[in-house]
Amino acid sequence: MSTNSILWKKLRTMATLGVGGAVTFAGIGVWTGNDKFFETFIVPILNRADPEVTHRLAIGITKYHLTRAATSDNSTNLKTKIGELELSNPVGIAAGFDKSGECLSGLVRLGLGWVEVGSVTPLPQEGNPKPRVFRLPQDLAVINRYGFNNDGHEKVHSRILLFKQTNPEYPVGINLGANKDSPDRIGDYCKGVENFSDVADYFVINISSPNTPNLRDLQKSESLNNLLQRVLESRDKQEKKLPVFLKVAPDLTDAEINFICKAILSKNISKVDGLIISNTTVSRDLLKSPDNLRSEVGGLSGKPLGTMSTELIEKFYKQLKGISESFL
């Protein structure tokens, strides 16, 4: 065997050992959930990748159970009741992470008390053009303009139905949206109630996303009354009368807050079971990030939204006079 062949063989062996060792090291760190390992090695790598790619990676890791499961049962002290919903603990995951119900069983393994899927539209849609997710590390924030990308009612329903066969008591919420080009957006929400009533535990009417043109107009005046009336009529026709929550934007004026409160507390058929506060904001006030990031169109989430959403909770609480914990 020539000297070059021997050298090449040694290099390949060293490379194999090096890669194998790195993969093993990374696997142990991920599996054990070592915070220092994630902070030092994983997060810097992920932050160099496209944000949407890392989102999809997180979906895949969760879907295929590549993380360690929760190691302890929930204390009875953590049991929470919101209206008729009974949760093993109050920590769950809101819509936006698992948009199409792809990794429900993996999320349960993490010890979450509930999972909300969506937003789901009647027909599958790709959402807005890429790139559509942007990190703002200086502000500990993210801007996204996904635009209700999801697999549609039929496919998402089949996944949740399969999940419920082995997890019948686990709370799953369905966050309902409307197709971008729908001629009847209110009808899209009614279809969601009709199509998911047999597998859902609650519904969220999402009219507060800034990434579907004119969707937020449904929060205003007679459009809101019409929406709630038709959705609740559809809900009441189902075998199971599930809770319906309204998800609002953080950018509401005081007049809009007042109108929403009057609508949801009315004694007619526009009275919902609660509010979810809040969605992402279109505001860019007090951001430290460069203009090229601040100017990206979409909804801002993260640390800058904290004060705004907390103030919105306060305003709604005062208007509703603490009438029900469901409205928080």
Side-chain angles (χ1 to χ4, degrees):
M1 184 179 294
S2 67
T3 303
N4 286 341
S5 297
I6 295 172
L7 181 59
W8 178 242
K9 186 176 181 180
K10 288 182 177 181
L11 287 174
R12 282 193 300 177
T13 301
M14 290 174 62
T16 301
L17 290 173
V19 171
V23 170
T24 301
F25 177 68
I28 293 172
V30 171
W31 186 257
T32 58
N34 186 303
D35 290 341
K36 193 66 177 177
F37 172 81
F38 273 89
E39 181 182 338
T40 305
F41 296 101
I42 301 299
V43 172
I45 293 173
L46 294 179
N47 282 342
R48 291 179 177 273
D50 177 83
E52 186 165 352
V53 170
T54 59
H55 183 177
R56 291 303 311 169
L57 178 63
I59 292 287
I61 289 173
T62 309
K63 178 179 180 179
Y64 294 108
H65 299 184
L66 300 180
T67 57
R68 190 175 63 169
T71 56
S72 60
D73 295 329
N74 290 309
S75 166
T76 55
N77 293 331
L78 294 177
K79 286 186 177 180
T80 304
K81 190 170 184 179
I82 302 176
E84 297 302 314
L85 289 172
E86 294 187 1
L87 312 176
S88 60
N89 72 74
V91 180
I93 190 161
F97 177 73
D98 189 6
K99 294 174 176 289
S100 295
E102 297 178 74
C103 59
L104 288 169
S105 63
L107 291 170
V108 173
R109 292 178 73 252
L110 300 180
L112 298 172
W114 50 271
V115 171
E116 189 175 306
V117 173
S119 295
V120 191
T121 56
L123 299 176
Q125 61 181 30
E126 292 293 324
N128 293 319
K130 300 176 183 180
R132 53 193 180 181
V133 189
F134 308 90
R135 295 188 186 92
L136 283 68
Q138 288 178 261
D139 294 294
L140 299 178
V142 168
I143 292 174
N144 92 80
R145 51 172 179 262
Y146 273 122
F148 285 172
N149 54 311
N150 73 100
D151 291 338
H153 284 182
E154 184 177 355
K155 187 170 287 188
V156 176
H157 179 275
S158 66
R159 290 173 181 151
I160 298 174
L161 181 62
L162 183 63
F163 170 79
K164 280 289 191 173
Q165 289 174 359
T166 53
N167 302 271
E169 303 301 321
Y170 190 82
V172 176
I174 307 296
N175 187 296
L176 299 174
N179 281 114
K180 181 178 181 180
D181 300 323
S182 174
D184 180 13
R185 287 183 170 175
I186 293 178
D188 283 6
Y189 291 100
C190 296
K191 287 178 183 176
V193 171
E194 295 162 4
N195 291 338
F196 287 96
S197 289
D198 61 327
V199 294
D201 293 280
Y202 68 91
F203 291 113
V204 176
I205 307 303
N206 184 3
I207 55 173
S208 51
S209 170
N211 299 319
T212 298
N214 304 317
L215 184 72
R216 287 189 171 188
D217 290 346
L218 289 173
Q219 296 178 126
K220 301 175 182 178
S221 191
E222 290 309 310
S223 295
L224 178 62
N225 282 327
N226 189 25
L227 167 73
L228 296 180
Q229 179 174 330
R230 286 180 59 185
V231 166
L232 292 173
E233 283 177 348
S234 295
R235 187 272 307 270
D236 291 343
K237 292 177 182 177
Q238 308 309 309
E239 185 176 344
K240 289 194 300 181
K241 189 176 178 180
L242 298 175
V244 173
F245 298 90
L246 181 68
K247 188 169 186 176
V248 299
D251 309 294
L252 296 168
T253 65
D254 288 344
E256 290 168 337
I257 292 171
N258 184 55
F259 178 82
I260 291 172
C261 289
K262 287 182 178 179
I264 64 176
L265 287 179
S266 64
K267 294 183 179 180
N268 58 31
I269 53 176
S270 68
K271 183 177 180 179
V272 295
D273 297 282
L275 283 177
I276 294 180
I277 304 171
S278 68
N279 213 316
T280 55
T281 178
V282 295
S283 172
R284 300 294 187 265
D285 293 344
L286 305 178
L287 294 183
K288 304 172 185 175
S289 297
D291 288 342
N292 65 313
L293 288 175
R294 291 164 52 100
S295 61
E296 290 291 352
V297 175
L300 175 77
S301 58
K303 188 175 181 180
L305 187 58
T307 299
M308 181 182 294
S309 60
T310 302
E311 290 175 351
L312 191 64
I313 291 173
E314 179 184 11
K315 290 180 179 180
F316 270 106
Y317 187 84
K318 287 179 178 178
Q319 288 271 5
L320 297 169
K321 298 180 174 62
I323 192 168
S324 169
E325 292 181 1
S326 298
F327 290 106
L328 298 178

